[in-house]
Amino acid sequence: MARKCIIAGNWKMNLDPDQGFELIEGIKAGFKPKANLEVVVIPPMPLVALAAHWVTDSTLSLGAQTSSSFRDGAHTGDTSPELLRILGCRYALSGHSERRGDHHESDAQVAAQAKAQVEAGLKTIVCCGESLQEREAGVHINKIKNQIGIIYDTLPPEYWGEVSIAYEPIWAIGTGKTASPVQAQEIHKMIRDHIESKAGAQVARSTAILYGGSVKGSNAKELLGQPDIDGALVGGASLKADDFSQIIQAYEVS
Ligand code: 13P
C-alpha cells in the first residue's frame, strides 16, 4: 500500500489570532480531501486551542511545534503533550532545528520528547538535518543517522508506527535555497535504509519521510515526485493560503 503523504504547515512564531483564523479559512476553501493525503496546520502554541475550533468540521489536522518530555507536573512554561492531545492535536514536531539551535535540545532530549508525545497519543514528526558546514565536512550522514537512530533506541516498538521523519537541511530553511530533488531523495533513501536497520523493513516501508526547506508551489511537485519523499514540512510558504494550497495541489497532480 502506498505510504500516506503529509503536507504540514509550520507557522513557527508567526500570525496573530485573526491572521491564523483567516489562513485556515483560506486553506479550507481551496482544499479537496484526497485519499492518502493528510494536511496538518501547526500554529504557535498560544493559538493551538483556538485553531482546534477553526479546523473543526474540516479534514485538516492540527499539530504543535514542540512539547515537554514530561507528561505533566512542575515544569513552568512547558507544554504537556497530553494536554495538546486533549485540545485536539494529532501531531507534534520534535527536534526542529530551531529548537535544537535556540534551546540546545540534544538528540537524547528530542528522543525523550518524541517518546512523551507518542505515549500521550500524539504522532510525532521528528526533524533532522545538517548545517552547511556539516555537509561540507562530510559529517552529515552520520549526524542524521544519530538523530534518527536514537528515536528507535528510545521508543518501544509498539510506538514506531506513530513516527514520521522530516528531513530539513538547515541551509535550506528560510533561505530560498532548496535541496535539489536528487539531493533530497538521496538523503531520504539513506534515512529509510537506516530506519530499516534499526526497526525492520515493514516500519521502514510504512514511515512517512517529509522534506522541509524552502518548499514552495514551484518546487513541490518535483520534490513530492521522488520515491522516498512522502510529504513536505513547510515554513514560509505555509503562511499564505494561496501559497500553501499550491503545495497541496502539487501532490494532487503528481
Ligand atoms: P521554510 O519553508 O521557511 O524554509 O521553513 C522550513 C521549516 O523549517 C519548516 O519546519
Side-chain angles (χ1 to χ4, degrees), residues 10 12 96 168 172-174 213-215 233-236:
N10 174 11
K12 307 192 177 181
H96 191 284
E168 299 204 306
I173 295 179
S214 298
V215 177
L233 182 55
V234 187

Side-chain angles (χ1 to χ4, degrees), residues 130-140 170-171:
E130 81 286 1
S131 66
L132 190 57
Q133 293 87 323
E134 288 163 337
R135 177 168 275 259
E136 285 172 353
V139 297
H140 56 302
I170 297 166
W171 48 271

